[in-house]
Amino acid sequence: MTHTSGHSVAPDTEHVGPVPAYWAPVDLSTRELIAEYERTPFAARGLPSSVYDYIRNGAMIAPDRAALTYIPDARDPDTAVHVSHRETLRKITQAANLFQDLGVTGNDPVSILTAGTPEPQFALWGAQTAGIANPLNWMLDPKLLGDLISAIGSRILITFGGDAVTDPWPKVDEILENAPCVETVIRAGGARTGPAPRGVRILQLEDELNRYDGDALQRPRDIRPDTVGGIFATGGTIGAPKLAKVTHGGQIYASWASAISHRVPIGVVRFSASPMFHVHGLAVSQLTALALGGTTVLPTSGGWRGTGVIDNFWALVQRFDVESVPLLPTIANRLVQRPEAIPAHHPVKRVSSGSAPLSAEIANRFRKLTGVAIVEGYGLTETSGAVVSCPRGVEPVAGVVGMPVPYTDARVVRGGGGGELVECAPGEPGILHLRGPSVFAGYVDALQDEGALLEDGWLNTGDLASREANGFLRITGRLKDVIIRGGHNIDPAPIEEALFQHPRVADASVVGMPDADAGEVPVAYVVPVGGAALDLVDLAAHMRQQVRERAALPREYFLMDELPRTAVGKVRKNRIRLDAIVRAFGRLLDEAGLQGCYELAAEDQGAAGVDVGVTLLDDDPGSAERARAALSALTVRHRIL
């Protein structure tokens, strides 16, 4: 790699090669046009079987154009490093050859602690070419990381060497203690120094790559569309992540189908700040740009978490002629809080949002401030990325995620009598099922497939949705997020939307709080704009005007500096629920005269539910009886110790 400043090489000075026929522009703006397109069998579209060939075909479009533009310091765009498509393909080829020499075969996983820098990406795509790539969130607990690595048996661990933003290296020792299967650790970019873990071989990726041929794969594999190419940890918010096996064909299809639906142009310049261990960062942001002969702009090793990325976003967009920005909803929220930073003219033409629900209020503010509508989409790890989108030519509607892309089917269902599934009527909420080429090959733990992989190729997403009369889909939330108040089901999404409509609310989440009479009641956790004071009386009055369903009005409002979120921007509702549970338990115990005489410990045990331990601190034999009586009406499992 070489350091250069300014823009990528101008397109008119680049050699432009053949564009694969599967990128032919097509209008997919209606269900009828999609049905017409689907009359040609998917297999006849000519997509390659392997991710490597998909990337290679993209590299041939404009070999000397920048494929990756990495900006180490978002405050200084002159630090940018540009890597051409020719060099990117060469590095991926060298990485695949290296891994094969290290004994990686088709079914062998390579675990990677990723960062938003070029080197881990070379390793990731090279690992899929030689075996199976396993990108992991370096911010997870090291014991959990070790357990995940052990679950798949990786003998090679690749990790970013670390910098001021992203530094997984100090975790390596503890990871290895819990992953004895690892024999080789490879640093990929970042710092080259630091305490070396004992008992394993330590290699430097850049040094090793130079020892291998980058012109051709030394031992090409027979990769088919159903060959597993990656093992991705799901981006859920509860319990340990599941490990999903995604295929080469699934990744290619999800990338391609979403791109043709959006009519993403050849040579697109895309801002990629989402985590590289998540399908949003890999399939939506990076793989598509590589396959289109475009440029992926990587702002710092930490993406959106990097110092100065949000503050300098619009300056970076203008400096590098960014035209496409995949956003997370939480980032859209932060950008609209800085209207003074938005220039009157900018090159951005398309902004998409995924990974979590987007507030209609935030979407409207963004469009008013920037002139660009945020286009929502929907997908999940188990579909290798977005497979529902709002196609180009359709006016985006906040809250509507779009139509299934070509060759994907969707249904919204509810349970009927006798246990059979019944298709929901338009506007009726139900559970979303998907079927198509992107559906994953199951979880590493096959027992977890039950209830997810259904008959006839259907995937149960676990998300609540409704279908509009025109076939478009709305995602209304997760099944587990529903609040049940006295037998009445309450969807928190419209309550949160009403909160966002208040001008002093920057972020909000609504969960159920245990209640002795109603089972649970909705409560709101609110982040004020700019940390300023927020009048809760005024907020409650606003909500009474906006929320017509009385049962859905939040019982209480709690102010927070920020909401707990995952690395991909999803609200950790399980943590907020735990806080609400502890508050409810504490109040009932205080009312029973036990104030200062107890300690509470609430634990989310995933599918097993929440368990609360109540430790009594006094020796009064009547305290236990008063505690039992106070908590007897709550449905949350608890133990008095």
Side-chain angles (χ1 to χ4, degrees):
M1 295 186 294
T2 56
H3 285 265
T4 60
S5 61
H7 300 276
S8 306
V9 180
D12 59 2
T13 66
E14 298 167 349
H15 167 72
V16 178
V19 176
Y22 48 77
W23 288 126
V26 59
D27 183 356
L28 299 170
S29 58
T30 68
R31 188 65 244 177
E32 293 73 24
L33 289 169
I34 292 175
E36 175 66 28
Y37 191 74
E38 290 174 331
R39 289 195 177 95
T40 298
F42 174 59
R45 292 295 172 191
L47 287 158
S49 297
S50 76
V51 168
Y52 179 83
D53 287 342
Y54 188 54
I55 293 173
R56 181 178 60 184
N57 291 352
M60 296 302 101
I61 295 174
D64 296 322
R65 179 183 291 146
L68 303 173
T69 291
Y70 169 53
I71 311 166
D73 186 347
R75 298 161 297 186
D76 183 4
D78 286 338
T79 62
V81 177
H82 303 289
V83 189
S84 71
H85 279 273
R86 189 190 312 275
E87 183 66 7
T88 297
L89 179 62
R90 179 177 179 81
K91 294 292 186 183
I92 293 170
T93 304
Q94 289 174 318
N97 290 336
L98 164 64
F99 297 143
Q100 286 184 331
D101 259 12
L102 292 174
V104 174
T105 61
N107 293 321
D108 292 327
V110 176
S111 293
I112 308 167
L113 302 181
T114 59
T117 66
E119 296 85 359
Q121 317 323 317
F122 304 151
L124 186 141
W125 304 118
Q128 291 210 41
T129 304
I132 299 173
N134 171 225
L136 291 169
N137 176 1
W138 72 273
M139 290 175 284
L140 293 175
D141 177 79
K143 182 182 184 304
L144 176 56
L145 286 168
D147 291 343
L148 294 173
I149 292 167
S150 290
I152 61 175
S154 294
R155 291 182 292 109
I156 298 174
L157 172 62
I158 297 170
T159 175
F160 180 61
D163 62 15
V165 178
T166 306
D167 193 11
W169 191 256
K171 292 186 174 185
V172 171
D173 271 322
E174 191 173 349
I175 291 170
L176 296 178
E177 289 176 8
N178 295 279
C181 52
V182 174
E183 301 169 355
T184 302
V185 173
I186 303 177
R187 294 180 191 261
R192 297 173 64 99
T193 60
R198 296 181 180 180
V200 295
R201 173 171 46 178
I202 307 294
L203 301 176
Q204 190 72 34
L205 182 67
E206 297 93 318
D207 296 342
E208 296 300 316
L209 294 186
N210 292 333
R211 300 173 48 237
Y212 288 88
D213 179 21
D215 295 328
L217 297 171
Q218 59 189 18
R219 290 189 290 276
R221 293 171 56 204
D222 179 20
I223 294 176
R224 301 182 181 183
D226 61 356
T227 299
V228 174
I231 296 176
F232 286 65
T234 57
T237 59
I238 295 179
K242 297 177 181 177
L243 293 168
K245 298 183 291 186
V246 301
T247 64
H248 280 259
Q251 292 174 82
I252 293 167
Y253 165 77
S255 160
W256 166 80
S258 181
I260 62 165
S261 176
H262 295 166
R263 282 186 259 174
V264 180
I266 299 297
V268 63
V269 180
R270 177 165 280 179
F271 198 82
S272 181
S274 298
M276 292 299 169
F277 51 79
H278 188 268
V279 291
H280 193 267
L282 289 172
V284 176
S285 299
Q286 186 183 142
L287 182 57
T288 301
L290 289 173
L292 280 163
T295 301
T296 300
V297 177
L298 301 167
T300 81
S301 66
W304 294 118
R305 296 174 51 256
T307 302
V309 173
I310 298 291
D311 291 339
N312 295 281
F313 169 75
W314 291 105
L316 295 174
V317 157
Q318 291 187 301
R319 173 67 177 269
F320 297 103
D321 292 329
V322 172
E323 56 195 296
S324 176
V325 183
L327 279 180
L328 304 172
T330 182
I331 301 302
N333 193 354
R334 292 177 66 183
L335 290 175
V336 300
Q337 304 303 328
R338 297 168 167 80
E340 71 285 351
I342 301 173
H345 304 285
H346 56 76
V348 176
K349 299 176 182 176
R350 189 172 181 88
V351 176
S352 60
S353 176
S355 182
L358 174 69
S359 159
E361 180 66 21
I362 299 302
N364 291 336
R365 286 189 214 169
F366 189 93
R367 185 169 191 168
K368 183 177 180 180
L369 290 169
T370 68
V372 181
I374 298 179
V375 179
E376 293 186 72
Y378 172 82
L380 54 164
T381 303
E382 291 84 348
T383 61
S384 296
V387 291
V388 177
S389 68
C390 181
R392 188 177 291 271
V394 174
E395 182 69 15
V397 176
V400 176
V401 294
M403 294 184 291
V405 295
Y407 307 104
T408 285
D409 298 321
R411 67 185 185 189
V412 179
V413 299
R414 57 177 172 81
E420 77 277 8
L421 295 176
V422 177
E423 289 260 6
C424 293
E428 180 185 5
I431 299 176
L432 178 63
H433 291 178
L434 296 171
R435 180 173 64 183
S438 70
V439 172
F440 77 139
Y443 297 106
V444 169
D445 181 355
L447 294 177
Q448 296 173 337
D449 293 346
E450 185 175 355
L453 291 175
L454 309 176
E455 293 182 356
D456 300 324
W458 287 101
L459 169 70
N460 179 1
T461 69
D463 284 320
L464 296 174
S466 63
R467 188 188 292 272
E468 308 283 288
N470 61 2
F472 279 63
L473 293 169
R474 288 182 180 269
I475 304 298
T476 60
R478 293 289 292 173
L479 184 60
K480 64 178 181 291
D481 289 340
V482 170
I483 300 166
I484 304 176
R485 179 174 186 168
H488 181 65
N489 288 357
I490 299 172
D491 182 356
I495 311 173
E496 293 166 350
E497 187 57 48
L499 286 165
F500 277 114
Q501 291 171 7
H502 191 284
R504 304 300 300 165
V505 172
D507 207 355
S509 183
V510 174
V511 298
M513 172 183 276
D515 182 79
D517 296 321
E520 58 181 354
V521 294
V523 294
Y525 286 73
V526 179
V527 178
V529 170
L534 178 61
D535 185 338
L536 294 185
V537 174
D538 175 68
L539 179 60
H542 162 82
M543 293 299 287
R544 287 193 294 272
Q545 291 181 343
Q546 298 297 322
V547 179
R548 297 182 180 180
E549 185 181 9
R550 181 165 182 168
L553 276 171
R555 172 77 63 84
E556 292 185 78
Y557 301 87
F558 304 115
L559 297 181
M560 301 185 72
D561 293 332
E562 61 180 0
L563 298 182
R565 291 184 178 272
T566 69
V568 297
K570 295 182 180 180
V571 175
R572 291 188 181 273
K573 284 212 169 188
N574 61 319
R575 290 190 182 178
I576 299 176
R577 288 192 196 97
L578 290 178
D579 182 82
I581 288 168
V582 168
R583 288 175 186 263
F585 271 65
R587 289 175 182 176
L588 290 173
L589 292 171
D590 289 349
E591 290 170 3
L594 295 171
Q595 189 169 13
C597 299
Y598 62 86
E599 291 180 348
L600 295 173
E603 180 183 2
D604 190 331
Q605 299 179 340
V610 173
D611 180 79
V612 181
V614 182
T615 302
L616 298 176
L617 303 178
D618 63 19
D619 297 326
D620 183 349
S623 293
E625 186 57 37
R626 293 203 304 274
R628 289 190 188 93
L631 304 176
S632 61
L634 297 184
T635 59
V636 177
R637 188 172 71 249
H638 56 273
R639 296 165 292 111
I640 298 175
L641 307 172

